[in-house]
Amino acid sequence: MTKLATFSDAKGTRLGAVLEDGRMLDLAAAGLAQSDMLALIDAGPAALAAARALAANPPAAAILPAGGWTLLAPIPRPRRNVFCVGRNYMDHVAEGDRTRGITNSELPKYPQFFTKAPDTVIAHEDWVPAHTGVTEWLDYEVELAAIIGKEGANISREDALSHVFGWTIGNDITGRELQRRYGQWFKGKSLDRSCPLGPWIIPAAELDALNTGIRLWINGEKRQDSHTSKMIFDVKEIIHQLSLGFTLKPGDVIITGTPEGVGYAMQPPKTLKPGDVIEAEIDGIGRLRNVVKEA
């Protein structure tokens, strides 16, 4: 499995591949022409094939020991807003019946799109602000994230996956009462540092992301446990619908909805508080870990 990553050390920020033993392959030092993730995505299939080949047979001189570098979000600053899909698992829609009117329990007929600001993105092991005084209902949402690799508009369902560069994990941190208060979801979804993303990108060809397990823990307690096959609108339909009259571009990030088990719908509610450890996991990708802290 190729784990394409963005990392930093004393020499700066650059593109790498995390090896199975936890060491890092510095792809630039290994001879790859592209210096960052967006450049790699822009360069197309040949560049991705070169990166995968280097990761499969890493030159020893370009390998960095574990612990000598820090993972950043795979795309530390997306070029555009992160595209999001709301209410995309049937059981998550059903648990909306038990909320205080934050959502409408009627099943959506089309994907419900919204966005998060690009500078909400943070990395694996980075911290999420508690936003005390702004929200009393800070919540988590583990989501499959698709990274677009090929530009296109009016993309057919049949061709949709050919536009995907790779897959990673997103956590759509949300201020629930803000989501309700302002009507349009952008405000409640775009709090500072509210989009953990990572820890790396798995190339699209290496994972059947439409058919894999997805789950989340808070302080070791499993809260969400589902499967991407349970989406109401699968990734092919999401890409098709989002691209109608709208050009998707290389490097665009789409997070595809969360399953049931969010904190605000629990009885009693269990939303996030300072000190909470959030671990979001998707089989075949890995685990994204973040801690909630006071700013």
Side-chain angles (χ1 to χ4, degrees):
M1 191 72 72
T2 308
K3 301 174 181 176
L4 298 170
T6 299
F7 74 97
S8 66
D9 62 9
K11 296 181 179 179
T13 298
R14 52 205 190 277
L15 184 64
V18 180
L19 305 178
E20 291 305 315
D21 61 5
R23 295 181 296 167
M24 177 70 75
L25 173 65
D26 182 337
L27 285 168
L32 192 73
Q34 291 74 36
S35 60
D36 61 50
M37 192 70 73
L38 287 173
L40 177 64
I41 295 169
D42 288 341
L48 175 58
R52 293 175 67 189
L54 287 168
N57 294 284
I63 296 175
L64 305 176
W69 41 269
T70 300
L71 277 177
L72 305 180
I75 302 176
R77 176 64 184 265
R79 291 170 173 149
R80 305 202 286 181
N81 282 17
V82 176
F83 301 109
C84 311
V85 181
R87 304 173 66 243
N88 195 29
Y89 286 76
M90 191 170 298
D91 288 339
H92 178 50
V93 174
E95 72 181 355
D97 287 338
R98 303 192 298 272
T99 71
R100 303 179 181 183
I102 291 174
T103 60
N104 182 340
S105 62
E106 181 181 352
L107 287 179
K109 296 180 176 61
Y110 298 95
Q112 297 185 331
F113 295 115
F114 61 95
T115 67
K116 296 174 80 79
D119 51 2
T120 61
V121 169
I122 61 171
H124 171 66
E125 296 290 0
D126 215 337
W127 61 278
V128 175
H131 290 292
T132 302
V134 175
T135 177
E136 300 299 320
W137 290 75
L138 193 69
D139 210 351
Y140 52 83
E141 294 187 358
V142 59
E143 309 203 11
L144 171 68
I147 311 300
I148 296 297
K150 183 173 68 173
E151 182 173 304
N154 304 313
I155 299 167
S156 68
R157 272 186 54 86
E158 294 71 26
D159 195 39
L161 294 185
S162 74
H163 288 260
V164 177
F165 172 83
W167 312 101
T168 190
I169 305 169
N171 186 352
D172 180 15
I173 302 292
T174 305
R176 292 296 182 192
E177 77 274 47
L178 305 181
Q179 181 183 2
R180 175 175 54 179
R181 178 189 304 163
Y182 293 102
Q184 209 279 349
W185 292 1
F186 178 81
K187 173 61 179 176
K189 297 286 191 173
S190 284
L191 297 172
D192 288 345
R193 305 174 65 85
S194 66
C195 190
L197 195 69
W200 39 67
I201 294 173
I202 302 298
E206 297 188 25
L207 177 65
D208 180 5
L210 281 66
N211 188 33
T212 193
I214 180 170
R215 57 194 68 87
L216 180 142
W217 292 261
I218 301 295
N219 303 325
E221 176 191 2
K222 188 184 289 183
R223 298 280 186 88
Q224 296 182 276
D225 189 0
S226 189
H227 203 271
T228 59
S229 64
K230 294 184 177 182
M231 289 182 185
I232 298 171
F233 306 102
D234 66 15
V235 175
K236 293 184 286 186
E237 184 68 13
I238 290 168
I239 291 172
H240 165 63
Q241 293 284 347
L242 184 57
S243 73
L244 294 177
F246 177 72
T247 302
L248 294 176
K249 297 182 178 181
D252 280 345
V253 179
I254 306 172
I255 57 176
T256 57
T258 198
E260 71 280 7
V262 294
Y264 79 89
M266 300 183 73
Q267 296 295 327
K270 293 184 178 181
T271 47
L272 295 169
K273 61 184 184 302
D276 282 347
V277 178
I278 315 166
E279 296 175 283
E281 180 181 80
I282 297 179
D283 292 340
I285 301 177
R287 189 174 289 201
L288 173 66
R289 182 182 185 275
N290 300 92
V291 178
V292 181
K293 294 174 57 177
E294 292 287 3

